Every structure is written in C-alpha cells, then in structure tokens.
Amino acid sequence: MDKHVREAGKGVNGPPPRSLSQQIQCSSILTVHPQSRPDIALSLSGRLCRSGLLLAHYKFKPILLPSSHHSPFEIRAMDLSTATWTAAVVGAAAVYWFVWVMGSAEVKGKRAVNLKTGSVSRDQVQEKHRQFWSFFVRSKEDIAAASDEYRRISFIETYYDLVTDIYEWGWGQSFHFSPSLPGRSHREATRIYEKRVADAIAARPGQRILDVGCGVGGPMRTIAAHSGAGIVGITISEYQVSRAREHNRRAGLDGRCEVVRGNYLEMPFPESSFDGAYCVQAACHARRLEDVYREVFRVLKPGALFVTDDWVTTALYRPDDPRHVEAIRGTERGGALATLRAQHELAATARQVGFEVLEERDLALPPAEPWWTRLKMSRLAYWRNHLLISVLAVLRIAPKGMVEVHEMLCEAAAHMSYAGETGIFTPLQMILCRKPSIKP
Ligand SMILES: C=C(CC[C@@H](C)[C@H]1CC[C@H]2C3=CC[C@H]4[C@H](C)[C@@H](O)CC[C@]4(C)[C@H]3CC[C@]12C)C(C)C
Ligand SMILES: C[S@@+](CC[C@H](N)C(=O)[O-])C[C@H]1O[C@@H](n2cnc3c(N)ncnc32)[C@H](O)[C@@H]1O
C-alpha cells in the first residue's frame, strides 16, 4: 500500500475504541488524510454506519425497547411510527445525497451512470487496466527500453479510453491543471488559464491554430471562443475525438474547431501549414520530447509561435530520496507517462529542434496559488465517487474494472498532491517559442 496511504490509514487500523463514545468519536473525527484512498474512506463509512446504529441503539433505547408501563399495543404503535419516521428521514437523506451531493459531481456533462470506456468493451475493462498497469508499473529503465513504441502508444490510448469519462465526470472537459486564482472557481481559473494560452501565441480570427494532444477539447473551445481563430486538435484517442466533436457541436463551435485522431509524433499535416500551435500538458506522454517538438516545428509556418506547458520535476527533486522517487513514480504511473523530464529540458529541447525560446517560466510559482488544492478534493468527494462507482459496478451499470481504474486515479492524486506540495514537481512549466522566419 502506498506510503501516504499507510500513514493516513494508521488510525483506521489502530486498536478498536473501547466505549461507544470513543467508538463514535473515533469514527466521526477520524482525520482521514486528504490523500487517503477510498478503501480507507469506505472503512470510515463502515464505522460511521456502525456508529450510527450504535447511536440509535443506545440513544433511542427507551422507545425501541419495551418498558413496564406501556401496553404491548402502545409499544407496537410506537415501534411502527418510529420505524416510519426513521425510514422517511433516511430516505430523504438518501435522496438529498444522490441528487444534490452526488449531483454536484455530475454537473460537468458526464453522468456516473453512463461512464464509458471508449474502444475498450465493458467486459475487457479489468483486463485492459491490468495490461496497462503491468506495463507502466515496471521500472523507468524497462519502460524507456521498451523499443516497441507502438505498444507504448497503444497503452496511452488504452489509458485514455479508461479514464476520459472519469476525468469528465470528476474534473470537467479540460484535462489539465491550472494555477488557482483567489476568489475564482476552479472552472473560472481554468478558463482564464486557457485564454492566456491563446494570448501567448496572439491567436486571432482567420488563423489556423494546432492543438497538440487536444483531449476532449476543453482548451480548444475556450481558445476558439476567445480568439476567433480556427483550431485543429489532434489526439491519439478515438474516443476523445468523438467526445470533442460532440462538445464542439453542442457549443456551436464545430465550424471553427476540428478534431482528428492521430499521433503527434507523425502528424497528418503538411509542412508550414499552421499559424500557431499550443500543447497543454500533453507532450509529457512522449518518450522523447524532441520527437514532438520537431513535428510541431515542421507544421508551423516560419515566424509562427508555439506555447506549451508540461509536467516536469523541479530542482527540488532528489533522486536519492525514496519519498521523492515514490511520489514521482506514482505520478508517472497514474498519468501513463514514460518518464518526467527535468524542468530545464523543455527549453533545451525546443532549441535543439530549431525553435527560438522567447520565454521560460514555472507558472505554478507565486503569485499563483497552489494548483494542487483542487486535486486534494475533500475526502468526501473521493469516498462519494468511489462509493458510487462501486455501487454502479455491483449493479452492472458501470463496467466492473472501473473500480480499479478509479482506485488507480485516487492513488495518482495522492502522489501528485504530495509532489506538488513538496515542490519537487510542477505540471505548469511553460515555454513560449517561435519558428525562425526565413532569412531573406
Ligand atoms: C495532464 C494529465 C492529466 C491531469 C489531470 C486532468 C488528471 C490527473 C489525475 C486525475 C484525477 C485524479 C483523481 C480522480 C478522482 C479519484 C475521481 O473521483 C474524479 C476524477 C479525478 C479527480 C481525476 C481528474 C483528472 C486528473 C486530475 C495527464 C498528463 C495525466
Ligand atoms: C492530459 S490530456 C490533455 C488534453 C488537453 N490538452 C487538455 O488540456 O484538456 C493529454 C492528451 O494528449 C494526448 N496524447 C498523448 N499522447 C499522444 C500522441 N502520441 N499523439 C496524439 N495525442 C497524444 C492524449 O490523447 C490526451 O488527449
């Protein structure tokens, strides 16, 4: 079990409390570490239920149990009315929970009851997740040495088949982190961040801009609406292409936003065919960063701008510190990344393929607020989502393997949060580049 989880779980597996008040106290104030995994939260829910039942038993004992001065008929009537009232209260709480509390988790356009897994059939989810996990759980060296690039790429597509709907349902249509902004919702901060991307490359009407690794098109739609430019997005995931096209159509942006399925290492676009390009937290999937940057360089017109932000380790990362190594490996595994590069490598690689680097900055640094606050969702959110997926899987509404996929993401979130808090990792290392103009 993950170290962070072990620490968080210590209280859960500690010696059972002796008295009821201690039992209740233990359950209700158990500080389930925000990075805990849902199995801990689930045992918390078990405790809460037990505490609730214990509370009901001890607190309502006179009503529930016969006493000498009531006739059997009165006691039966009291039992019935208590049971009715209890059922009504519990029922109302359940409706409130599933409609309002859970509803907030589903407001983003994807409902938990129709979590799909792209090209992975329902009965294959568990096996596909096992195959994916067995590939990415190996050592960095083994993954890097895996010369079968096709297999690696297809595992990335499998990853996004498995997680795209959970991402949309539990995060939204923009699959990236953004700096938090005081007084702004996460959604507003994400939109503001995406508009900054458009402004960085001076995207404007009449231009044709490339979105490298476009996901389901969250950034694409913000940038198209903000800049007036035409956007072409490319993603390795066929399922994301269909989701992005559906969102573009609903947003009325399908006239200016196009999505193609393809490998950003060998893009189906002619040389010098784009007026600008951006890549939001997607190049980190490439085994060699130069392969992506070289392709972007090829399809950009001379003088065009390219901006990218990506996942990197920072100068605070200590490869000799087991806790750092575990957090970074957990981040890589949970994000289907072959390896995280060091912060300075982005600009160096861009120069290597011929770009002029105009700006290089970690956008996560102050005055930006921590990007990981959103990821450290309340333990209730993790528990709520895991409970819902577990119930839906038992009811055969969600594919059985979805529980393992969700658990993988819970663990990934714990590693990413830890890596963010310790400053050894940033997902927001930005470089702004220009393809040199042709010398007269
Ligand atoms: C840039 C990448 C993805 C970045 C993020 C969009 C996602 C990274 C980890 C994801 C999540 C972790 C925990 C999930 C939670 C358990 C679930 O209940 C709801 C969805 C999560 C919050 C999910 C959302 C998307 C992420 C934050 C690539 C390079 C991986
Ligand atoms: C974390 S998502 C980010 C998506 C989008 N940029 C956003 O911010 O919402 C990473 C994206 O990169 C895409 N991707 C990864 N490897 C790819 C490859 N070799 N070719 C094309 N797309 C790839 C994935 O399909 C996914 O859409």
Side-chain angles (χ1 to χ4, degrees), residues 199-204 209 274-278 296 300-307 355-356 358 432-435:
D199 296 341
I201 57 174
R204 55 190 177 278
I209 303 293
F274 287 94
D275 301 297
Y278 61 88
V296 175
L300 281 177
K301 293 176 182 175
L305 294 172
F306 168 51
V307 66
F355 280 113
E356 295 166 54
L358 309 176
L432 175 63
C433 313
R434 177 173 37 229
K435 179 174 180 177

Coordinates of all heavy atoms in Angstrom, one line a residue, residues 199-204 209 274-278 296 300-307 355-356 358 432-435:
D199 N -3.6 34.1 -25.9 CA -3.0 35.4 -25.9 C -1.5 35.2 -26.1 O -0.8 36.1 -26.8 CB -3.3 36.2 -24.7 CG -4.8 36.5 -24.6 OD1 -5.5 36.4 -25.6 OD2 -5.2 36.8 -23.5
A200 N -0.9 34.2 -25.6 CA 0.6 34.0 -25.7 C 1.0 33.8 -27.1 O 2.1 34.3 -27.5 CB 1.0 32.8 -24.8
I201 N 0.2 33.2 -27.9 CA 0.5 33.0 -29.3 C -0.2 34.0 -30.3 O -0.2 33.8 -31.5 CB 0.3 31.5 -29.8 CG1 -1.2 31.1 -29.6 CG2 1.2 30.6 -29.1 CD1 -1.5 29.7 -30.2
A202 N -0.9 35.0 -29.6 CA -1.6 36.0 -30.4 C -2.5 35.4 -31.4 O -2.6 35.9 -32.6 CB -0.6 36.9 -31.1
A203 N -3.3 34.4 -31.0 CA -4.2 33.7 -31.9 C -5.3 34.7 -32.2 O -5.8 35.5 -31.4 CB -4.8 32.5 -31.2
R204 N -5.7 34.7 -33.5 CA -6.7 35.7 -33.9 C -7.6 35.2 -35.1 O -7.2 34.2 -35.7 CB -6.0 37.1 -34.3 CG -5.0 36.9 -35.4 CD -4.2 38.2 -35.5 NE -3.1 38.1 -36.5 CZ -1.9 37.6 -36.2 NH1 -1.7 37.1 -35.0 NH2 -1.0 37.5 -37.2
I209 N -4.9 27.3 -36.1 CA -4.0 27.0 -34.9 C -4.1 25.5 -34.6 O -5.2 24.9 -34.7 CB -4.5 27.8 -33.7 CG1 -4.5 29.3 -33.9 CG2 -3.6 27.5 -32.4 CD1 -3.1 29.9 -34.2
F274 N 0.4 25.7 -40.3 CA -0.3 26.3 -39.2 C 0.3 27.7 -38.8 O 1.5 27.8 -38.8 CB -0.3 25.4 -37.9 CG -1.2 24.2 -38.1 CD1 -0.7 23.0 -38.6 CD2 -2.5 24.3 -37.8 CE1 -1.5 21.9 -38.7 CE2 -3.4 23.2 -37.9 CZ -2.9 22.0 -38.4
D275 N -0.6 28.6 -38.4 CA -0.2 29.9 -38.0 C 0.3 30.0 -36.5 O 0.8 31.0 -36.1 CB -1.4 30.9 -38.2 CG -1.8 30.9 -39.6 OD1 -1.0 31.3 -40.5 OD2 -3.0 30.5 -39.9
G276 N 0.0 28.9 -35.8 CA 0.4 28.9 -34.4 C 0.1 27.5 -33.8 O -0.7 26.8 -34.4
A277 N 0.6 27.2 -32.7 CA 0.3 25.9 -32.0 C 0.4 26.0 -30.5 O 1.2 26.9 -30.0 CB 1.3 24.9 -32.5
Y278 N -0.3 25.2 -29.8 CA -0.2 25.1 -28.4 C -0.3 23.6 -28.0 O -0.9 22.8 -28.7 CB -1.2 26.0 -27.6 CG -2.6 25.6 -27.9 CD1 -3.3 24.7 -27.1 CD2 -3.3 26.2 -28.9 CE1 -4.6 24.3 -27.3 CE2 -4.7 25.9 -29.2 CZ -5.3 24.9 -28.4 OH -6.6 24.6 -28.6
V296 N 6.1 19.6 -34.4 CA 5.4 20.9 -34.3 C 6.1 21.9 -35.1 O 5.6 22.7 -35.9 CB 5.3 21.3 -32.8 CG1 4.7 22.7 -32.7 CG2 4.4 20.3 -32.0
L300 N 4.6 24.2 -38.5 CA 4.4 25.6 -38.2 C 4.9 26.4 -39.4 O 6.0 26.1 -40.0 CB 5.0 26.1 -36.9 CG 4.3 25.8 -35.6 CD1 5.1 26.2 -34.4 CD2 2.9 26.4 -35.6
K301 N 4.3 27.5 -39.7 CA 4.8 28.5 -40.7 C 6.0 29.2 -40.1 O 6.1 29.4 -38.9 CB 3.7 29.5 -41.1 CG 2.5 28.9 -41.8 CD 1.5 29.9 -42.1 CE 0.2 29.3 -42.8 NZ -0.9 30.3 -42.9
P302 N 7.0 29.6 -40.9 CA 8.1 30.4 -40.4 C 7.5 31.7 -39.7 O 6.6 32.3 -40.1 CB 8.9 30.8 -41.6 CG 8.5 29.7 -42.6 CD 7.1 29.3 -42.3
G303 N 8.1 31.9 -38.5 CA 7.7 33.1 -37.7 C 6.5 32.8 -36.8 O 6.1 33.6 -35.9
A304 N 5.9 31.6 -36.9 CA 4.7 31.2 -36.1 C 5.2 30.9 -34.6 O 6.3 30.6 -34.4 CB 4.0 30.0 -36.6
L305 N 4.2 31.1 -33.7 CA 4.5 30.9 -32.3 C 4.0 29.6 -31.8 O 3.0 29.1 -32.3 CB 3.9 32.1 -31.4 CG 4.5 33.5 -31.6 CD1 3.7 34.5 -30.9 CD2 6.0 33.5 -31.2
F306 N 4.7 29.0 -30.8 CA 4.3 27.7 -30.2 C 4.4 27.9 -28.7 O 5.5 28.3 -28.2 CB 5.2 26.6 -30.7 CG 5.1 25.3 -29.9 CD1 3.8 24.7 -29.7 CD2 6.2 24.6 -29.4 CE1 3.7 23.5 -29.0 CE2 6.1 23.4 -28.8 CZ 4.8 22.9 -28.5
V307 N 3.4 27.6 -27.9 CA 3.5 27.7 -26.5 C 3.1 26.3 -25.9 O 2.1 25.7 -26.4 CB 2.6 28.8 -25.9 CG1 1.1 28.5 -26.1 CG2 2.9 29.0 -24.4
F355 N 13.8 25.8 -32.5 CA 12.9 27.0 -32.0 C 13.8 28.0 -31.4 O 14.8 27.7 -30.8 CB 11.9 26.5 -31.0 CG 10.7 25.9 -31.6 CD1 10.4 24.5 -31.4 CD2 9.8 26.6 -32.3 CE1 9.3 23.9 -31.9 CE2 8.6 26.0 -32.8 CZ 8.4 24.7 -32.6
E356 N 13.4 29.3 -31.5 CA 13.9 30.4 -30.6 C 13.0 30.3 -29.4 O 11.8 30.3 -29.5 CB 13.7 31.7 -31.3 CG 14.4 32.0 -32.5 CD 13.8 33.3 -33.2 OE1 13.8 34.3 -32.5 OE2 13.4 33.2 -34.4
L358 N 11.4 32.2 -26.4 CA 11.2 33.6 -26.1 C 10.9 33.8 -24.6 O 11.2 34.8 -24.0 CB 10.0 34.1 -26.9 CG 10.0 33.9 -28.4 CD1 8.7 34.4 -29.0 CD2 11.2 34.6 -29.0
L432 N 7.6 29.5 -24.3 CA 7.0 30.2 -25.5 C 8.1 30.2 -26.5 O 9.2 30.7 -26.3 CB 6.5 31.6 -25.1 CG 6.0 32.5 -26.3 CD1 4.8 31.8 -27.0 CD2 5.7 33.9 -25.9
C433 N 7.8 29.7 -27.7 CA 8.8 29.5 -28.8 C 8.3 30.2 -30.1 O 7.2 30.4 -30.3 CB 9.1 28.1 -29.0 SG 9.3 27.1 -27.6
R434 N 9.3 30.4 -30.9 CA 9.0 30.9 -32.3 C 9.8 30.1 -33.3 O 11.0 29.9 -33.1 CB 9.3 32.4 -32.4 CG 9.0 32.9 -33.9 CD 9.1 34.3 -34.2 NE 10.1 35.0 -33.4 CZ 9.9 36.1 -32.7 NH1 8.7 36.7 -32.7 NH2 10.9 36.7 -32.1
K435 N 9.2 29.7 -34.4 CA 9.9 29.1 -35.5 C 10.5 30.3 -36.3 O 9.8 31.2 -36.7 CB 9.0 28.3 -36.4 CG 9.7 27.7 -37.6 CD 8.7 26.8 -38.4 CE 9.4 26.2 -39.6 NZ 8.5 25.2 -40.4

